[in-house]
Amino acid sequence: MTDPDVVILGGGLAGLTLALQLVRRDPSLRITVLERHRHPVREGAFKVGESTVEIGAHYFSHVLGLREHLDTEQIRKFGFRFFFSDGQSEIDRCTELGVSRLLPTTSWQIDRGRFENFLTEHARENGIDVRDGAIVRNIELSSDGTLHGVRYECDGVTHELSARWVVDASGRAGLIKRKLDLAQTNDHNANSAWWRVSGLLDPRDWSSDPDWLGRCTPPDRWRSTNHMCGEGYWFWLIPLSSNQHSLGIVCDGDLHPLETMNTHAKAMAWLHRHQPRVAAMLEAGGHELQDFMFMRHFSHGAKQVFSGDRWALTGEAGVFLDPFYSPGSDFIAIANTYITEMIAADRAGKPITAMASLYQQLYFSFYENTLTLYQDQYRLFGDAQVMPLKVIWDYTYYWSLLAPLFFSGYLTSTPVLGQLRTLFGEARTLNLGMQSLLRRWGELNAERGDTAPLDGRLLDQYRIPWFHELNRQLVDTLEPDAFIARMRTDVARMHDLAAEMLAHARREHPGLGDAGLELVLGDHRAPAEPLLSPAWYAEAATVDAAA
């Protein structure tokens, strides 16, 4: 048997999509994927990580060409939706944040079992050697230019492979990470418990108010990633195409200890206290429990993910942030794209040590910058005034910088990256100041005790013209100069938004301070034409004003 060019350890989402990306780039590549599970795997209750956002969705649909499967076998997502509903049964009286209509750029809710079964067969159809039931026993990594060695066991028989490249996509098993002691913790103290139930849960059952039911066109809130929010936590509801629903609690470990939710019975008791309407819905019948899992301190980094010695880590084998905003498939897309570029360069006889170092530096900067959206911010999640502003800010940051960089195809363009370096640094400093401002604003609101009034607002992102356009323009094809000019315009708008939010925060709390933003903003003042209506600042808290 001929040894492959690339061995991928792990045939889950990260490993299979990498294999497909590699073979689309170079059909002559010989690729072997070693996967410990046997396929087909169970639908509905296989793995979490079911919600996609723009980068991951674009990667699956356009970079890998899987749009037909996503449209026919998965669920078109109706955006993120947030309800500030801690302890409330009347959800229609709570502040709701979401879109009334679909935004232009598509994303999906993905049944991971169904998707990975499809990816396995699709990979085999494309000549990729996917070996099920393969348990990796040893990895010998070369540092002198010779081939790497992998020993694995399948059906009690030991096999050995040699390959020029080895990529670890083994998830939390972290085969290379453990071998080379690359594990790195971070200070984001968050835990999660999750389960799946049969049948779909429909928010239309939460109200009989025709105005509330008619807010969305079509009236399909159930297709959203619905977040039920409270101080220190959020609870997800994600529909799956296998007629099941994914449910999960994600929480700050200090405010909501994992021991209060590490069994299904405890999780349901927790849900009765914090989201009683959802708990009652689950107990009304027709929703059989499919599984239950929990994980402590799920967020982690890595000391190294790419090497000039022709090995790499992707997916959770490398880094993982937080499921809020669903960045998991985004970071798979980014890592896989960098790995594909390195393998292509190596195949062309080019040196890759400097390339691996540059790509790792960029990848870690994306990880570290995105981590700021989560770390020490969970107390805000129950604040119906500040948290919607944070969501708008975080989306704007994502759609102005990382998302367009990936969509444009300039993620690996050294000339473009060089010209954007100062702009990214400026945006990073601005974001750090904003996260600090939002955190302090929330602390002062909490001291005042008015974080989640029952005001019934719909904060509709669809009806913010510039925000809608940020989403739409992701798919535009631009030459480098035009692309860079647009990114500068979008970062300038971020300055406008930061100045506007700072002005409102100071009006609300005159002693707030500026969280260092004055140094970044300089003479930049809030725009004469506000970017957000008063309802977004809970200053005219009516549904009509929000719309």
Side-chain angles (χ1 to χ4, degrees):
M1 183 179 297
T2 303
D3 281 321
D5 301 304
V6 183
V7 171
I8 299 174
L9 312 177
L13 187 61
L16 289 169
T17 53
L18 173 60
L20 287 166
Q21 188 174 3
L22 286 169
V23 83
R24 282 172 71 88
R25 177 68 173 268
D26 182 354
S28 70
L29 267 175
R30 297 166 299 173
I31 303 169
T32 295
V33 178
L34 302 178
E35 167 56 32
R36 65 182 300 128
H37 289 103
R38 294 191 180 277
H39 288 78
V41 298
R42 179 182 179 182
E43 292 188 353
F46 180 49
K47 294 178 184 175
V48 284
E50 297 122 327
S51 174
T52 65
V53 286
E54 285 74 19
I55 290 176
H58 180 77
Y59 177 65
F60 298 145
S61 62
H62 290 80
V63 177
L64 301 183
L66 306 178
R67 180 71 188 250
E68 182 180 358
H69 168 84
L70 295 166
D71 282 340
T72 59
E73 298 295 331
Q74 307 292 347
I75 293 173
R76 172 81 185 267
K77 180 176 164 182
F78 202 170
F80 284 140
R81 195 168 301 277
F82 305 82
F83 297 93
F84 296 88
S85 52
D86 183 65
Q88 300 297 327
S89 292
E90 296 178 276
I91 306 298
D92 55 359
R93 296 183 60 206
C94 300
T95 299
E96 176 185 358
L97 165 62
V99 289
S100 59
R101 296 174 183 266
L102 286 167
L103 287 170
T105 302
T106 309
S107 58
W108 291 269
Q109 311 286 22
I110 291 180
D111 183 312
R112 287 288 296 275
R114 177 173 293 186
F115 195 39
E116 291 185 25
N117 287 336
F118 164 75
L119 289 173
T120 300
E121 291 309 308
H122 189 55
R124 286 173 172 154
E125 290 167 1
N126 280 271
I128 297 164
D129 178 16
V130 182
R131 303 185 186 181
D132 281 352
I135 301 171
V136 176
R137 296 301 187 190
N138 190 49
I139 310 162
E140 293 295 335
L141 296 175
S142 166
S143 60
D144 61 4
T146 57
L147 300 181
H148 304 301
V150 176
R151 188 171 75 249
Y152 71 96
E153 183 180 310
C154 187
D155 295 327
V157 179
T158 299
H159 306 267
E160 294 188 359
L161 291 171
S162 297
R164 184 163 177 80
W165 277 85
V166 174
V167 181
D168 187 356
S170 63
R172 290 183 179 264
L175 298 172
I176 289 180
K177 180 183 280 187
R178 294 183 186 218
K179 181 177 181 66
L180 300 182
D181 189 28
L182 301 178
Q184 190 172 63
T185 59
N186 62 39
D187 294 326
H188 181 38
N189 180 25
N191 308 315
S192 184
W194 65 91
W195 62 104
R196 270 66 66 106
V197 298
S198 61
L200 295 172
L201 302 170
D202 194 338
R204 280 178 289 195
D205 295 337
W206 296 346
S207 178
S208 58
D209 180 352
D211 291 334
W212 189 86
L213 292 170
R215 281 177 171 180
C216 300
T217 305
D220 289 351
R221 284 182 176 93
W222 67 273
R223 289 195 286 122
S224 298
T225 299
N226 284 296
H227 302 65
M228 319 302 290
C229 299
E231 183 183 7
Y233 78 89
W234 58 287
F235 176 80
W236 83 65
L237 299 98
I238 299 174
L240 305 176
S241 54
S242 53
N243 194 39
Q244 298 178 75
H245 228 100
S246 175
L247 312 168
I249 306 164
V250 188
C251 56
D252 182 297
D254 294 324
L255 299 176
H256 298 273
L258 186 61
E259 289 69 27
T260 65
M261 60 189 72
N262 59 359
T263 68
H264 180 248
K266 289 181 182 179
M268 286 300 298
W270 184 96
L271 204 58
H272 271 287
R273 290 193 300 276
H274 292 284
Q275 296 295 338
R277 188 68 188 85
V278 179
M281 194 179 196
L282 287 168
E283 292 181 342
H287 301 296
E288 182 181 351
L289 181 67
Q290 301 297 303
D291 67 344
F292 183 87
M293 299 284 287
F294 64 89
M295 184 172 293
R296 186 186 304 276
H297 200 82
F298 51 69
S299 188
H300 65 268
K303 299 173 187 174
Q304 185 176 0
V305 291
F306 307 141
S307 171
D309 288 327
R310 308 178 320 282
W311 58 261
L313 282 57
T314 186
E316 288 192 65
V319 304
F320 184 78
L321 288 152
D322 188 293
F324 197 72
Y325 299 137
S326 306
S329 55
D330 283 12
F331 276 77
I332 287 172
I334 295 166
N336 285 359
T337 298
Y338 283 143
I339 293 166
T340 297
E341 285 297 314
M342 288 188 289
I343 291 176
D346 181 55
R347 295 269 289 174
K350 300 176 183 177
I352 63 163
T353 299
M355 179 184 287
S357 177
L358 172 62
Y359 288 167
Q360 179 169 277
Q361 180 184 357
L362 291 166
Y363 189 68
F364 282 167
S365 74
F366 301 150
Y367 160 77
E368 290 159 3
N369 290 335
T370 306
L371 186 61
T372 65
L373 310 186
Y374 309 111
Q375 193 166 312
D376 301 323
Q377 297 294 60
Y378 264 55
R379 286 184 182 274
L380 280 176
F381 282 25
D383 190 322
Q385 180 189 38
V386 179
M387 190 60 191
L389 299 175
K390 174 173 164 55
V391 170
I392 287 292
W393 173 262
D394 293 348
Y395 268 100
T396 301
Y397 185 46
Y398 172 62
W399 286 348
S400 297
L401 294 157
L402 189 55
L405 189 62
F406 186 87
F407 272 71
S408 66
Y410 295 132
L411 183 72
T412 60
S413 170
T414 304
V416 171
L417 292 168
Q419 292 188 65
L420 290 175
R421 183 174 182 175
T422 300
L423 191 68
F424 267 76
E426 179 184 333
R428 174 185 179 276
T429 304
L430 184 62
N431 175 61
L432 288 172
M434 278 300 301
Q435 297 300 332
S436 179
L437 173 74
L438 293 163
R439 182 163 52 247
R440 184 59 184 149
W441 192 352
E443 290 168 355
L444 293 173
N445 280 357
E447 290 173 11
R448 199 168 60 188
D450 61 351
T451 57
L454 294 175
D455 54 33
R457 286 178 297 161
L458 169 62
L459 299 174
D460 186 357
Q461 297 154 310
Y462 183 86
R463 295 183 183 277
I464 305 173
W466 62 266
F467 192 81
H468 185 286
E469 176 61 12
L470 263 183
N471 177 270
R472 187 216 59 77
Q473 72 184 26
L474 289 173
V475 299
D476 287 350
T477 301
L478 298 176
E479 293 300 316
D481 287 347
F483 175 74
I484 292 165
R486 175 179 282 179
M487 292 197 77
R488 287 183 176 139
T489 298
D490 292 341
V491 171
R493 186 189 294 108
M494 288 175 60
H495 283 76
D496 289 344
L497 184 60
E500 180 176 307
M501 288 186 179
L502 175 60
H504 280 272
R506 283 174 159 172
R507 186 179 308 156
E508 191 82 15
H509 300 286
L512 176 67
D514 66 10
L517 282 170
E518 289 286 6
L519 291 173
V520 187
L521 291 172
D523 295 331
H524 206 112
R525 295 292 176 256
E529 184 69 29
L531 293 170
L532 297 174
S533 71
W536 279 91
Y537 296 98
E539 294 177 357
T542 65
V543 173
D544 289 341

